Amino acid sequence: MAAAVKSIVEETLAGANPSDADSNFSAHTRANFGKYAREDESGESYMTEEEFVDAIVPRDEDYHKIKRAQYGILFRVADRSNAGRINLQDWAIFEDLLSKPDAEYEIAFRLFDPDGTGTIKYGDFLQMYKLSKGEDSIPFDWDCEWASLYIGGKRKRHDMTYPQFAQMLRGLQGERIRQAFHYLDKSGSGYIEPEEFRRIILETAKHKLSDHLLDNLHTLCNISPGSKISYANVRAFQNVIQEIDFVDLIVKSATEKAADGKITRTDFLNEAARIARSSLFTPMEADILFHFASLDEPSGRLSLSDFVKVLDASWRAPVAIVGELTSEAAATTRTLLHKVLTSAHHFALGSMAGAFGAFMVYPIDLVKTRLQNQRSQRVGEMLYKNSIDCATKVVKNEGFRGLYSGVLPQLIGVAPEKAIKLTVNDLVRGKFTDQTSGKIWWPHELIAGGTAGACQVIFTNPLEIVKIRLQVQGEVAKKVDGVPRRSALWIVRNLGLMGLYKGASACLLRDIPFSAIYFPTYNHLKRDYFGETPQRPLGVLKLLTAGAIAGMPAAYLTTPFDVIKTRLQVEARKGETKYLGLRHCAMSVYREEGIKAFFKGGPARIMRSSPQFGFTLAAYEVLQTLLPMPGDEAAAAAKNAITSLGMGKDSRLPLNRSRNAMMLILDLDENFGRPRGQPPKGWSPPVLGGKAGVIGVL
């Protein structure tokens, strides 16, 4: 019975034991092992500690909290035979261990159970602990009443099982802080100096705290009268650290609900009471959280960017991140170059998105143009009754390709047109947007959109006049025999530079209000209706829907200017009124055809502009995600820090689980895994569990 229980325990802790046959290992496991392994003289692949560390913790990560070399201690867990090297089977078992839901605790347990017996002997545990403890560290009494609850009293020690060991680690940091406070409070007054508090935290929780917290620990004395720190202050600080993930959840939930993205201490406590079943944070704990978060923003209303300095252990001061820059001039040059490259990147993405959107709706645009150019007062000129009739006749008379007459110059021209519009709108909105709250005043939204619409006309007008003449020549050729079909190049040469900008005033009157209506409507639909936030980006379907809805009022309300522009840019036929300018055209259309003529092609324009801009904006945002600006990895990491806070969100399983395991191990002492130089005098490798433990210098 005992043997069966031991077998079950060993199987539980070791996970599935792969077969010796390489064929039983997954391709993923073999690929990961083969990427870092080396071969010995016999051709067998293996990893030493160096390759193992490379496999679980990439070199390009930030290790300013837990040094990369310290992860080598986990090699003792993977090296089951204490051979100083691991094979594919050892790696497979360790990789399987990383996939377990409680991998962090099991890794820590196995470190102190090198023989895999399923229990940890007190003597072995204490010996390993002493080897790793710093010489000047605050002492910890393992004979205390708290420790005896897990390992027994002095006279009757017992081995620890995995659940007992895990639970001990859970409460260890609090006991270390309690003992350290008593050790430094020589007078028994219940107070210690700020420098002594800082020493306690650096020795017990340095690996879990951000640089911002560590640099300002001494300021904790300022949350209450006096210049010393009480045990209540220390315990409250420790509780905030212990519940850091729950603090993260509350802060994100509260700031999302705030109109300006900022919250007060009262907002935090109210949100905590709403989320939790019982009150979890005391007033002092809330004071401590807001004290450290508001050191750079003492207004009392804090945003996510203020809290991230407290909650994200990987946060670093900007000066530390850019410390490699040797001079201010170098930094300025790099910034300017980056801005230029970023603008070029946005321009390229806008070009691709614009061409995609234009191609998708081009047949509707052709129908719209022919309806607007139709002059209803001439007998026999009523070629088309409505949009459907027009599309049907185009396909019947000119074939399906007739729906794409003039599409090539449209695709060539629409790329820079849409790119300029999207880029200018982004730039102007960025200038007017509050960088702290992310809010923008609605008149500034109108200015940003209108400016984008005005800037695009330099490309829009030549594109429109060539496109329109290509679109209508099909119906002329059908009615009049012998009329040649002109190419886009012939039309450009025939018009000349000045002719290409005929109707530009009407184009401005159409494009400025269109963009001023479209962009603010699109952004408000995304944010206010669909609920887009930095933490919850929208899917493609919602982006398309927002773009399509925003295009409806923008397209229909600017139809009169589009009709005037079309009439000015189409070459007048024999017997038709030749318009002399914007005002003359408007007056002539009103006099000859009535007010309804200004809304010809309005429905077709909605059917074209609405989905076109939906496709364009959706494609633009999707392309920004798929093709990010090269070199923006640091900015993306900073954004993720603000929106995710905490360190446990990394999707790379080996690094994430290994890092969390190291955090548990370092709760015992900050020096675990650090190179220690020469071993102590008289020291020799210990014998653990009856075998020579190849521990090395931990």
Side-chain angles (χ1 to χ4, degrees):
M1 180 68 178
V5 172
K6 180 179 178 181
S7 175
I8 293 173
V9 170
E10 290 180 345
E11 183 179 350
T12 301
L13 292 177
N17 189 22
S19 168
D20 291 336
D22 283 359
S23 60
N24 286 345
F25 297 120
S26 70
H28 176 77
T29 298
R30 299 216 262 160
N32 285 344
F33 181 78
K35 183 178 180 180
Y36 298 97
R38 64 172 74 175
E39 289 187 358
D40 59 16
E41 296 178 355
S42 64
E44 181 182 357
S45 297
Y46 69 95
M47 283 186 188
T48 63
E49 181 177 316
E50 181 181 357
E51 289 85 35
F52 174 81
V53 172
D54 287 340
I56 63 171
V57 282
R59 292 180 180 272
D60 57 353
E61 293 292 329
D62 182 4
Y63 298 105
H64 82 287
K65 282 289 146 192
I66 303 174
K67 301 305 180 186
R68 190 169 182 271
Q70 288 182 269
Y71 286 87
I73 196 173
L74 302 184
F75 181 74
R76 279 66 178 172
V77 176
D79 184 15
R80 298 176 303 137
S81 60
N82 294 328
R85 55 189 275 177
I86 62 172
N87 56 26
L88 177 58
Q89 181 170 322
D90 296 326
W91 171 256
I93 292 175
F94 185 81
E95 196 175 63
D96 179 66
L97 174 60
L98 289 177
S99 67
K100 291 190 172 186
D102 55 347
E104 297 86 349
Y105 283 97
E106 287 204 24
I107 289 173
F109 180 83
R110 290 200 200 184
L111 182 65
F112 294 95
D113 178 29
D115 295 329
T117 61
T119 59
I120 295 178
K121 295 178 176 59
Y122 170 72
D124 296 343
F125 169 78
L126 190 61
Q127 189 175 18
M128 198 175 229
Y129 170 79
K130 288 180 177 179
L131 286 172
S132 298
K133 190 167 181 63
E135 295 179 0
D136 299 326
S137 299
I138 298 173
F140 182 82
D141 180 15
W142 286 101
D143 294 326
C144 68
E145 184 179 351
W146 176 87
S148 67
L149 298 175
Y150 294 96
I151 57 179
K154 278 185 177 181
R155 298 180 179 179
K156 196 172 182 180
R157 301 293 191 192
H158 62 76
D159 298 345
M160 282 186 288
T161 63
Y162 168 61
Q164 290 171 337
F165 176 77
Q167 203 60 45
M168 184 203 70
L169 284 184
R170 174 73 172 163
L172 177 63
Q173 190 176 66
E175 178 63 16
R176 287 186 66 198
I177 289 175
R178 187 191 69 79
Q179 289 193 25
F181 187 92
H182 280 296
Y183 176 78
L184 296 174
D185 180 20
K186 306 295 185 183
S187 64
S189 65
Y191 291 90
I192 58 175
E193 296 293 336
E195 294 76 14
E196 293 171 330
F197 166 69
R198 187 172 188 274
R199 181 186 175 188
I200 291 174
I201 299 304
L202 288 179
E203 289 196 20
T204 59
K206 180 181 178 182
H207 55 288
K208 292 182 176 179
L209 304 181
S210 68
D211 290 354
H212 173 79
L213 265 181
L214 296 176
D215 292 342
N216 294 284
L217 286 172
H218 60 281
T219 67
L220 183 62
C221 63
N222 295 330
I223 71 167
S224 57
S227 60
K228 293 190 174 184
I229 296 174
S230 68
Y231 181 68
N233 297 147
V234 177
R235 177 59 69 182
F237 181 86
Q238 196 263 337
N239 288 346
V240 172
I241 297 173
Q242 193 169 29
E243 299 294 339
I244 203 78
D245 287 334
F246 193 59
V247 174
D248 175 359
L249 175 66
I250 295 170
V251 167
K252 287 192 291 185
S253 178
T255 52
E256 282 180 3
K257 294 176 181 178
D260 60 352
K262 296 183 177 182
I263 61 172
T264 63
R265 173 183 177 277
T266 302
D267 296 328
F268 172 82
L269 288 174
N270 287 338
E271 188 65 17
R274 189 191 68 81
I275 293 178
R277 291 175 179 260
S278 59
S279 181
L280 192 63
F281 296 98
T282 66
M284 182 181 287
E285 290 165 3
D287 287 340
I288 288 174
L289 173 64
F290 272 75
H291 164 73
F292 286 107
S294 63
L295 288 175
D296 298 330
E297 183 65 34
S299 65
R301 292 186 61 80
L302 306 179
S303 65
L304 276 173
S305 58
D306 298 313
F307 286 103
V308 71
K309 295 181 293 187
V310 177
L311 303 180
D312 183 9
S314 65
W315 185 89
R316 301 178 70 182
V319 65
I321 298 174
V322 299
E324 66 273 11
L325 298 178
T326 58
S327 67
E328 184 177 350
T332 303
T333 302
R334 182 176 178 179
T335 300
L336 291 175
L337 179 60
H338 186 267
K339 287 182 177 179
V340 171
L341 293 176
T342 299
S343 296
H345 177 254
H346 287 175
F347 191 92
L349 297 188
S351 298
M352 290 188 284
F356 173 72
F359 184 82
M360 295 297 289
V361 299
Y362 189 81
I364 304 175
D365 184 63
L366 181 135
V367 170
K368 182 267 306 179
T369 299
R370 293 203 178 181
L371 286 173
Q372 289 180 340
N373 188 53
Q374 184 170 252
R375 308 197 183 190
S376 59
Q377 87 283 7
R378 290 176 58 86
V379 178
E381 284 292 316
M382 290 291 293
L383 291 177
Y384 315 116
K385 298 176 182 178
N386 50 47
S387 300
I388 296 176
D389 180 57
C390 178
T392 303
K393 288 180 177 177
V394 169
V395 174
K396 180 180 178 181
N397 296 328
E398 304 170 44
F400 182 78
R401 293 180 60 184
L403 293 173
Y404 283 91
S405 297
V407 69
L408 185 58
Q410 168 79 346
L411 295 181
I412 294 173
V414 80
E417 173 210 330
K418 292 297 185 287
I420 284 181
K421 176 184 287 191
L422 295 170
T423 302
V424 170
N425 179 69
D426 281 351
L427 289 175
V428 179
R429 281 185 68 92
K431 292 295 182 183
F432 285 126
T433 299
D434 184 284
Q435 300 304 316
T436 303
S437 65
K439 305 292 184 181
I440 181 173
W441 190 34
W442 68 265
H444 289 160
E445 291 186 281
L446 296 178
I447 293 172
T451 304
C455 291
Q456 78 173 59
V457 171
I458 189 173
F459 285 102
T460 302
N461 210 79
L463 162 69
E464 292 277 324
I465 195 169
V466 173
K467 178 196 71 173
I468 286 172
R469 295 201 174 189
L470 287 171
Q471 286 179 335
V472 300
Q473 73 174 352
E475 63 183 21
V476 177
K478 192 69 180 176
K479 291 170 55 181
V480 182
D481 294 333
V483 176
R485 296 182 69 90
R486 306 296 187 183
S487 66
L489 288 176
W490 185 94
I491 294 173
V492 171
R493 286 196 298 265
N494 185 59
L495 287 171
L497 181 61
M498 296 300 294
L500 287 173
Y501 286 93
K502 186 177 181 180
S505 55
C507 203
L508 281 169
L509 287 175
R510 180 198 66 175
D511 290 345
I512 291 176
F514 181 96
S515 295
I517 295 171
Y518 181 82
F519 283 110
T521 305
Y522 174 70
N523 282 285
H524 280 280
L525 281 170
K526 288 198 302 176
R527 186 185 66 212
D528 301 332
Y529 184 76
F530 290 108
E532 182 186 49
T533 65
Q535 296 82 19
R536 194 181 72 174
L538 300 182
V540 176
L541 182 59
K542 289 184 178 179
L543 291 174
L544 279 171
T545 304
I549 295 173
M552 292 178 184
Y556 194 77
L557 294 175
T558 56
T559 298
F561 302 113
D562 193 51
V563 170
I564 295 172
K565 179 196 68 68
T566 300
R567 295 292 181 90
L568 287 171
Q569 292 180 336
V570 172
E571 188 175 4
R573 304 170 195 167
K574 187 176 180 180
E576 292 180 340
T577 302
K578 187 172 184 180
Y579 303 118
L580 304 178
L582 179 67
R583 184 172 180 177
H584 178 256
C585 179
M587 295 292 290
S588 298
V589 171
Y590 177 72
R591 185 175 57 252
E592 296 172 2
E593 303 174 50
I595 191 69
K596 289 184 178 181
F598 288 106
F599 290 91
K600 280 185 176 181
R605 182 166 161 75
I606 291 175
M607 292 172 63
R608 189 269 296 180
S609 296
S610 181
Q612 178 181 356
F613 276 85
F615 280 121
T616 299
L617 265 295
Y620 183 65
E621 299 200 21
V622 170
L623 286 171
Q624 282 184 314
T625 303
L626 296 178
L627 303 172
M629 172 69 186
D632 268 359
E633 290 81 2
K639 181 178 180 182
N640 290 336
I642 292 176
T643 56
S644 299
L645 303 178
M647 292 185 65
K649 312 292 193 296
D650 199 331
S651 61
R652 287 163 294 185
L653 185 63
L655 172 61
N656 188 40
R657 283 293 174 77
S658 300
R659 180 179 57 206
N660 291 344
M662 286 300 302
M663 285 186 176
L664 288 175
I665 295 168
L666 293 180
D667 280 349
L668 287 163
D669 194 277
E670 286 284 334
N671 292 293
F672 264 88
R674 290 184 184 274
R676 300 284 301 278
Q678 295 297 323
K681 186 176 181 181
W683 177 89
S684 59
V687 177
L688 300 180
K691 290 185 181 180
V694 187
I695 296 178
V697 182
L698 299 177

